[in-house]
Amino acid sequence: MDILRESQNARVEQLTAYQVHGAFHLHATQATAEDTKSLPELLKPILDASHTRDRKRSPPNSACMQGTRLGVVGKVYTWASNKVIVPGEPNIRWMHGYVGSGKSAISQEVCDTSDRQERPVVSFFFFRNAGHRSKIWRLATTLACQMAAVIPETEPFIRATVKANPTLLSPDEADISVGARMRRLIYGPFKAVTVVQGGTKVGALVRGPLLIVLDGLDECDNKDEVQELIDDMLLFFKENPFIPLRVFITSRVEQHIQSHLNVPGVQLDNLVDHCTDDDIDTFLQTLFKDGCGRDSVVQAYVQQHGEWPAQSDRLKLVAHISGSFIFAWAVFKFIMGLNTDSNHPTTPMDRLPLALEMNPGLDGLYAQTLARSEHLPHFPDIISTIALLETPLPTAGIAELLGIKTYEVVNVLVHMQAIIQVPGTDDLPVTLCHTSLRDFLTTPSRSGQLCAQQSHHVRLFLRCLQCQVGVRLQNQWGSLKHPSEFRPAVAYALRYSLSHLISGQGFFKLSESNFAIQLCREAAELSPGTPYSIHALANIVYNRARHTGSLADLDEAIGLYREALELRQLHNPDRPSSLAYLANGLLDRYWRIGTMADLEEAIVLYRQALMLRPFPHPGRLASLFNFGNALLEHYQRKGIVTDLEEAIFLHREALALRPPHHPDTPLSLNNLGNALLNRYRCTGTMADLEEAISLHRQALTLRLLTHPECSDSLNNLGNALLDRYRSTRTLADLEEAISLFHNALGFQPLHHRSSPAPLSNLVISLRAMYEESRALPHLLGAIEACRKLLDSHYPVGHANRVGWLGRLIILLQMHFDATGHEDDLTDLTRLEEEARQLSTPAA
């Protein structure tokens, strides 16, 4: 080889070259000082860009674990080494996948396998923020230098073309394009030795074609030049389809790459289709074998207990990991404690069960990984958005929804590839490696300052509105018929804005409600008479009414719901939704002012909506729930037993449709329990009362003590037990009921308009306990609770004040009878006078 190279160098002193249609003609010329330089000295290649680099110093430090990725590597290698050029077989192969899916490891393995088999291979591993390796301008000189090393016959042609055009050596864009660099330094010299001399005469090509590996093409900063590189490559192979040259490219599916490589002349490979559980299992086995051999604690455990981790546990990990090698590596490091202090009190055996559960086992891993980007701009908004989205969006969609730049999203996510899959494309969404990450991000007690706050739903709702208004302002609304025709962020806004409005209720500031109404009015003005716009405006006006208590807003929302309903006739798919929302508004107004006409109209509308939502319609459950509650309220006002029977039937079906662990299952249990309790009070059937108590106990068990409606569950169970006490005179029921009412008061949220029910029930149950025991503390507790009830819930002017004044008078009279305290007489005189005045009709 050295003798051949010396001979070629001697010839080069007499040669220069010029290119004609991709081939070379050589002519004698006079040697210069440049001819004495070695080719590396002349071309100045990037030494750490090839597969032979020191991967520890020059990332990516990726390699396939022995025994893994055999199938996909074999397919690529077979294609790359095929000596027979089949007509129509692509010369270019593009493998794409998300960050961490193993693209660079496969590229490295393909290159290393080619080296071991002595097949010619050259490579360039792009890497973001790595100087010249993140640029395209030295790609051609680097590959040319490698090509001359594996196919020495190309060196004189490379030297000749550089001598003819020294600009090719420019380390930046200069005056020569990347396409010209590749044609003159790579394609031309290679074609010269294969076409002119004959490929079979080139020793290095006896074992197969030359393979060019371009790894991480998405990490190259020069997007326009990347497109030019691909287009010029496709043109070269179109003109030279049988040339023994193959190009293997790996990247994420970024738009500027996909749009040029997703063409008939390219073999496409989605790496997701090639990652198997067997590969992950082999990967973990190798990691654990090595890791356990280095850990004295694990070795001591194995000597006493045998194999660790057990095969069954390892396979559970494989199932949890779902095909992501980088997540598998992160989980392994968590279990082995590679990121923790050497004196950490837990052992790998302690951490394995946490990883098997995943939730909340990996909280430490999640917190540590997220902290890498916590200091970056927009971090809270980006992470909260990913956690709270109804369906995943690509990076560009997230950016548009938040009103920021795509690169700002990527900048945050690129450091979290161990737990978040970032495909980097306009088509593929950003997804979580495991669903337990969403649980972590949405549970404040676990994620702390990293938590995705529920109030972020308000931000997402407002951004959804802004996206919709933007489309209308661009006059695109009328020409597009289906959400799939919009950009991902706009399509998402059209479909899910209402979900974020519902989830954000209770978190709107008044200024945010006003801004949302302004946006909705703009949208309605831009597309007058559009049911969607009218309905959206009604939703946010209704939301403000619930936030501020404004009856004027509620009346406007009801009017808007009526207008939208009139535009959605019988066969309109959105008519059931319009019926339900109008009914909700009317029922809300009934609760506020008590007009029976509103309740009765709401019942009619709920019935119509339910008829249009037969099983398995996704809205049927909500219709059953609301319709049942409205009927139960109508029964309590009118005493019509058929209303009660129908309410019980509806609530039974709603409970049956609830998934066992759905967060609203306790609500359905409570509703059915309340309906059965009402029927017991009507008929005296003990079976109804026993079932009601059982349902309320189930609901309370499912409620977390921090749940905002835990107070309701405590009160409901206490109320049912109080009824059973009245029937059976079992003191244990009364004692438990009193305890439940006390707890219900303790768990009523602060700064919240709490229900008077627990306090009023406590008054009643404490009086009953006093009558049973004649213990004065019970009577004093009832008096204190009654005073609080009047102060907090039934102030002067409230319709219920007179009734509770009467109850307090009775309690004070009982206390006076028992103690003879004169202070009671003073209070009695004052309260009786107030009650008399409130009961006297105005003149």
Side-chain angles (χ1 to χ4, degrees):
M1 174 96 45
D2 291 338
I3 296 174
L4 176 59
R5 181 160 295 183
E6 289 176 8
S7 173
Q8 290 169 337
N9 288 340
R11 288 180 59 212
V12 141
E13 294 179 1
Q14 305 298 322
L15 299 175
T16 187
Y18 62 91
Q19 188 174 12
V20 179
H21 300 300
F24 283 83
H25 295 281
L26 301 179
H27 296 277
T29 187
Q30 190 170 358
T32 68
E34 292 296 315
D35 297 326
T36 63
K37 291 182 177 181
S38 68
L39 197 61
E41 290 176 322
L42 183 64
L43 297 180
K44 296 183 174 59
I46 302 174
L47 299 178
D48 64 346
S50 81
H51 62 281
T52 60
R53 71 194 183 283
D54 181 347
R55 298 199 302 274
K56 293 182 179 179
R57 296 175 180 269
S58 303
N61 186 12
S62 303
C64 292
M65 189 74 71
Q66 185 175 2
T68 66
R69 315 313 285 265
L70 299 179
V72 63
V73 171
K75 287 182 179 179
V76 175
Y77 186 72
T78 299
W79 161 82
S81 59
N82 191 354
K83 298 178 185 179
V84 179
I85 305 297
V86 179
E89 183 180 52
N91 293 78
I92 304 172
R93 193 179 191 112
W94 175 42
M95 180 172 289
H96 56 82
Y98 53 78
V99 173
S101 58
K103 301 182 297 297
S104 294
I106 290 170
S107 295
Q108 185 70 40
E109 184 62 27
V110 168
C111 292
D112 291 345
T113 302
S114 298
D115 277 347
R116 289 193 295 269
Q117 299 296 327
E118 296 183 354
R119 290 194 168 98
V121 58
V122 300
S123 61
F124 195 104
F125 283 68
F126 288 95
F127 199 74
R128 187 175 283 110
N129 300 323
H132 290 295
R133 286 181 61 199
S134 64
K135 309 294 181 184
I136 205 167
W137 304 113
R138 291 174 66 182
L139 169 67
T141 53
T142 300
L143 292 177
C145 194
Q146 294 178 41
M147 184 172 68
V150 297
I151 306 177
E153 294 88 341
T154 61
E155 181 170 338
F157 296 96
I158 295 170
R159 284 183 175 274
T161 196
V162 167
K163 189 169 186 177
N165 192 346
T167 310
L168 291 168
L169 302 180
S170 173
D172 52 35
E173 51 266 46
D175 295 320
I176 190 164
S177 69
V178 66
R181 296 173 194 241
M182 291 295 291
R183 286 192 301 273
R184 297 179 185 181
L185 290 173
I186 305 296
Y187 307 145
F190 183 77
K191 183 176 178 179
V193 300
T194 57
V195 176
V196 176
Q197 297 184 14
T200 56
K201 297 179 182 179
V202 180
L205 297 178
V206 171
R207 290 182 174 271
L210 170 66
L211 174 63
I212 298 176
V213 175
L214 303 179
D215 180 74
L217 193 57
D218 56 293
E219 306 241 351
C220 179
D221 295 336
N222 311 106
K223 293 187 176 182
D224 291 340
E225 286 73 17
V226 165
Q227 293 177 339
E228 180 188 343
L229 169 73
I230 296 170
D231 291 343
D232 202 71
M233 189 184 298
L234 289 167
L235 178 61
F236 173 75
F237 284 123
K238 183 178 181 180
E239 295 173 347
N240 303 276
F242 302 113
I243 195 166
L245 175 65
R246 298 294 171 93
V247 180
F248 179 54
I249 300 172
T250 69
S251 77
R252 293 185 295 175
V253 193
E254 293 196 355
Q255 181 62 31
H256 70 287
I257 298 175
Q258 180 190 32
S259 60
H260 288 253
L261 278 176
N262 193 6
V263 295
V266 178
Q267 172 73 44
L268 303 181
D269 280 321
N270 186 345
L271 195 49
V272 173
D273 298 333
H274 295 286
C275 186
T276 67
D277 284 349
D278 288 342
D279 283 336
I280 297 294
D281 187 29
T282 302
F283 181 66
L284 287 177
Q285 287 187 63
T286 304
L287 289 176
F288 277 117
K289 182 179 180 180
D290 180 67
C292 294
R294 300 169 184 269
D295 193 303
S296 57
V297 174
V298 176
Q299 290 176 13
Y301 179 89
V302 170
Q303 287 179 1
Q304 184 175 359
H305 300 282
E307 180 188 19
W308 184 89
Q311 182 182 15
S312 59
D313 288 341
R314 195 185 67 248
L315 293 178
K316 287 181 183 177
L317 283 178
V318 170
H320 279 316
I321 287 164
S322 301
S324 171
F325 277 88
I326 196 166
F327 189 47
W329 171 238
V331 170
F332 169 77
K333 289 196 295 182
F334 166 77
I335 294 171
M336 297 304 296
L338 301 185
N339 293 329
T340 60
D341 191 291
S342 58
N343 296 321
H344 197 275
T346 60
T347 67
M349 285 68 70
D350 297 323
R351 291 185 288 268
L352 176 62
L354 298 177
L356 289 173
E357 292 297 327
M358 291 290 178
N359 182 9
L362 296 180
D363 286 6
L365 168 64
Y366 292 149
Q368 183 181 53
T369 306
L370 290 164
R372 297 173 187 167
S373 294
E374 190 178 2
H375 64 287
L376 296 174
H378 310 295
F379 169 83
D381 286 344
I382 293 168
I383 293 302
S384 295
T385 297
I386 292 172
L388 299 179
L389 285 175
E390 294 291 326
T391 188
L393 282 172
T395 51
I398 294 170
E400 183 176 2
L401 193 60
L402 291 176
I404 60 179
K405 303 295 184 183
T406 301
Y407 75 84
E408 293 176 308
V409 177
V410 174
N411 186 44
V412 167
L413 298 182
V414 72
H415 304 289
M416 293 180 283
Q417 58 197 30
I419 59 176
I420 296 177
Q421 297 175 354
V422 189
T425 172
D426 289 336
D427 299 317
L428 297 179
V430 174
T431 56
L432 308 180
C433 286
H434 197 273
T435 54
S436 62
L437 175 56
R438 178 172 285 105
D439 297 332
F440 171 80
L441 288 171
T442 54
T443 307
S445 60
R446 292 169 59 191
S447 50
Q449 64 185 19
L450 299 170
C451 182
Q453 301 294 334
Q454 287 295 103
S455 57
H456 189 67
H457 280 293
V458 177
R459 170 81 187 279
L460 292 176
F461 172 68
L462 294 174
R463 287 300 307 167
C464 285
L465 290 182
Q466 288 174 300
C467 285
Q468 294 172 32
V469 171
V471 171
R472 289 180 171 92
L473 286 173
Q474 295 169 13
N475 296 320
Q476 296 179 4
W477 190 262
S479 60
L480 299 174
K481 305 298 184 184
H482 191 272
S484 63
E485 300 179 58
F486 293 93
R487 297 187 307 277
V490 177
Y492 180 90
L494 289 171
R495 186 172 182 182
Y496 295 111
S497 61
L498 181 58
S499 298
H500 291 298
L501 172 62
I502 293 171
S503 298
Q505 284 178 357
F507 297 98
F508 275 82
K509 299 175 183 176
L510 183 58
S511 59
E512 291 170 331
S513 292
N514 293 338
F515 181 50
I517 289 174
Q518 176 189 336
L519 289 171
C520 284
R521 293 197 194 281
E522 288 180 19
E525 290 172 2
L526 289 167
S527 53
T530 304
Y532 179 88
S533 300
I534 298 168
H535 190 84
L537 177 57
N539 283 336
I540 188 58
V541 172
Y542 181 43
N543 184 74
R544 186 171 71 178
R546 300 184 69 180
H547 178 62
T548 65
S550 168
L551 190 57
D553 277 346
L554 181 55
D555 289 340
E556 182 185 1
I558 290 172
L560 290 166
Y561 283 135
R562 287 194 192 281
E563 187 178 347
L565 178 60
E566 289 173 0
L567 294 170
R568 290 169 168 169
Q569 296 303 311
L570 185 60
H571 299 294
N572 189 305
D574 293 321
R575 183 173 175 81
S577 177
S578 281
L579 288 163
Y581 274 95
L582 176 55
N584 289 343
L586 289 165
L587 188 60
D588 197 345
R589 191 165 67 183
Y590 161 76
W591 290 121
R592 296 196 193 187
I593 60 179
T595 304
M596 283 299 296
D598 284 340
L599 176 59
E600 289 168 350
E601 185 182 0
I603 288 173
V604 171
L605 294 168
Y606 281 137
R607 192 181 299 279
Q608 293 177 21
L610 185 63
M611 291 175 64
L612 294 173
R613 290 171 165 174
F615 181 82
H617 192 286
R620 183 170 181 81
L621 183 55
S623 287
L624 291 165
F625 177 85
N626 292 323
F627 188 17
N629 285 339
L631 284 169
L632 183 58
E633 177 62 21
H634 195 260
Y635 161 75
Q636 291 172 338
R637 286 291 300 270
K638 294 292 188 179
I640 302 173
V641 178
T642 53
D643 287 341
L644 179 59
E645 296 292 344
E646 187 174 7
I648 292 172
F649 179 82
L650 294 171
H651 283 311
R652 283 200 190 280
E653 184 182 349
L655 181 60
L657 291 178
R658 290 274 188 214
H661 302 293
H662 192 278
D664 287 334
T665 297
L667 199 57
S668 287
L669 289 164
N670 275 327
N671 285 341
L672 179 56
N674 287 335
L676 289 166
L677 186 60
N678 274 272
R679 189 165 69 179
Y680 160 74
R681 290 171 177 172
C682 176
T683 66
T685 304
M686 284 300 295
D688 283 341
L689 178 57
E690 295 296 341
E691 185 179 1
I693 291 172
S694 174
L695 291 167
H696 286 312
R697 285 200 190 281
Q698 292 178 53
L700 185 57
T701 301
L702 292 174
R703 293 276 192 212
L704 296 174
L705 291 183
T706 54
H707 193 286
E709 295 180 9
C710 184
S711 177
D712 291 342
S713 291
L714 289 161
N715 179 72
N716 288 335
L717 177 56
N719 206 17
L721 288 169
L722 189 56
D723 270 55
R724 190 165 69 180
Y725 157 74
R726 291 181 179 127
S727 174
T728 65
R729 314 305 292 182
T730 303
L731 276 179
D733 285 341
L734 182 57
E735 290 170 350
E736 185 180 0
I738 291 172
S739 175
L740 290 165
F741 295 140
H742 273 299
N743 287 330
L745 290 171
F747 286 108
Q748 282 187 331
L750 296 175
H751 311 296
H752 176 77
R753 183 197 277 175
S754 57
S755 167
L759 202 52
S760 60
N761 284 328
L762 182 61
V763 173
I764 295 168
S765 57
L766 283 171
R767 175 182 170 178
M769 183 58 78
Y770 169 71
E771 291 172 341
E772 288 277 359
S773 66
R774 293 299 166 179
L776 281 176
H778 295 308
L779 181 56
L780 290 172
I783 291 171
E784 181 185 3
C786 196
R787 290 189 191 278
K788 286 182 179 178
L789 185 67
L790 285 164
D791 291 341
S792 60
H793 294 282
Y794 303 131
V796 175
H798 195 286
N800 291 341
R801 185 171 178 82
V802 175
W804 282 98
L805 280 172
R807 288 182 172 88
L808 180 56
I809 289 169
I810 293 172
L811 292 170
L812 287 169
Q813 184 65 55
M814 293 169 70
H815 189 260
F816 176 76
D817 293 342
T819 66
H821 286 177
E822 292 185 1
D823 290 346
D824 290 337
L825 292 176
T826 303
D827 280 348
L828 282 167
T829 301
R830 177 178 57 81
L831 293 170
E832 287 172 348
E833 176 59 24
E834 182 183 352
R836 185 187 63 78
Q837 291 179 2
L838 291 174
S839 302
T840 303

